[in-house]
Amino acid sequence: MAIHFPNEEPTYTQRTTVAFPALLNGVSVSCEISTEALMDHFGAKTINKADLIAAFKSNRSAIENAVRNKLPITSSDRCLIVSADFS
């Protein structure tokens, strides 16, 4: 299973998540990490867009590793990472 993360800027969504792309065997998957996960595990101090994006950028490789673990069991074109994925 080939998982690749394009080097694109993350985006803040209306669902108060941070979204970033992945390619699973060449197929685009929209990945998101929850506000709670960013606050609980990656030092985001507020739900402010800038704080969440900064926490994501500072911890991108750990977040991408969580996606690598979750994508093989996800059967959709969206992968949501939550706080429990880091326990």
Side-chain angles (χ1 to χ4, degrees), residues 5-6 8-11 18-22 29-33 56 60 63-64 67 79 81:
F5 296 94
E8 295 180 18
E9 286 294 309
T11 57
V18 174
F20 55 103
V29 177
S30 177
C31 300
E32 296 177 47
I33 184 167
F56 174 86
R60 188 172 194 144
I63 294 165
E64 288 175 350
V67 170
C79 180
I81 300 297

Side-chain angles (χ1 to χ4, degrees), residues 1-6 21-29 31 64 67-74:
M1 178 170 300
I3 300 171
H4 174 72
F5 296 94
L23 295 172
L24 174 62
N25 295 326
V27 176
S28 181
V29 177
C31 300
E64 288 175 350
V67 170
R68 279 188 179 90
N69 291 330
K70 193 167 186 173
L71 270 179
I73 60 172
T74 301

Side-chain angles (χ1 to χ4, degrees), residues 17-55:
T17 62
V18 174
F20 55 103
L23 295 172
L24 174 62
N25 295 326
V27 176
S28 181
V29 177
S30 177
C31 300
E32 296 177 47
I33 184 167
S34 70
T35 296
E36 292 80 10
L38 289 166
M39 293 180 82
D40 291 348
H41 301 280
F42 299 108
K45 297 187 183 346
T46 70
I47 62 170
N48 177 285
K49 172 184 174 179
D51 286 345
L52 297 173
I53 295 285

